[in-house]
Amino acid sequence: VPVVRMATILGRIMTPLSAKLTKVLPERFPARLEVQKINNSGEYARLIETGQIELAMIQTDLAYVAYTQGLGASPQPMKKLRGVAVLYTTPLHLLATSSSRINSVLDLRGKRVFVGAAGSPTEFTAKMSLQGLGLEFTDLQIQRLSDSDLVRSLSSGELDAVFYRGNDPY
């Protein structure tokens, strides 16, 4: 029986989906699904391109750029990527404190902003969104924190704004 290696970050959405695929895939297709927990989903495209995995849930903007241009240390288009289905959408939220006087995305210039962990899908989407509006990360004071410190840092005034990707109830 062939093995299909799927990379995932286990959590509220992916854990039940991985469990269901592990059960359903062998019923419909002669293969065994092997789920590999990966800490950074930004690596999925590279892992598919290098043959280390066969399946992953990749955000569409990241997959598009990987396929057409390449990503990070792999500046060549990753032509082994194939889209199978759009399973769900994940919005990018921008939260700002009232004291920051941020009323639009363009007001982020010079502000202390969390954009996600380095190499994360949140960072990727925030960077693309800002570039589309004519801003670069160098225009902001980028802050790197753990997710658990975000609310405290906003409340205490250490941060002006936070980019965060997530579905309700986040």
Side-chain angles (χ1 to χ4, degrees), residues 17-71:
L17 181 60
S18 297
K20 197 61 144 175
L21 279 173
T22 301
K23 181 181 183 302
V24 172
L25 186 64
E27 293 173 2
R28 310 268 192 266
F29 182 75
R32 179 175 55 87
L33 183 67
E34 185 179 283
V35 178
Q36 299 177 5
K37 185 175 185 285
I38 307 291
N39 290 330
N40 186 345
S41 61
E43 287 290 302
Y44 291 172
R46 184 187 61 75
L47 294 171
I48 288 174
E49 187 68 15
T50 59
Q52 295 174 63
I53 61 172
E54 289 78 37
L55 181 64
M57 310 301 169
I58 303 173
Q59 67 188 64
T60 53
D61 54 355
L62 186 76
Y64 175 77
V65 171
Y67 185 80
T68 59
Q69 307 172 151
L71 294 170

Side-chain angles (χ1 to χ4, degrees), residues 125-162:
T125 303
K127 188 173 194 173
M128 280 187 72
S129 299
L130 290 168
Q131 287 174 339
L133 295 167
L135 290 174
E136 298 290 335
F137 276 3
T138 55
D139 296 321
L140 315 176
Q141 293 179 41
I142 300 298
Q143 306 292 307
R144 302 291 183 180
L145 304 164
S146 67
D147 285 358
S148 61
D149 290 332
L150 294 179
V151 172
R152 181 196 54 74
S153 296
L154 277 171
S155 298
S156 69
E158 295 171 47
L159 274 178
D160 297 309
V162 170

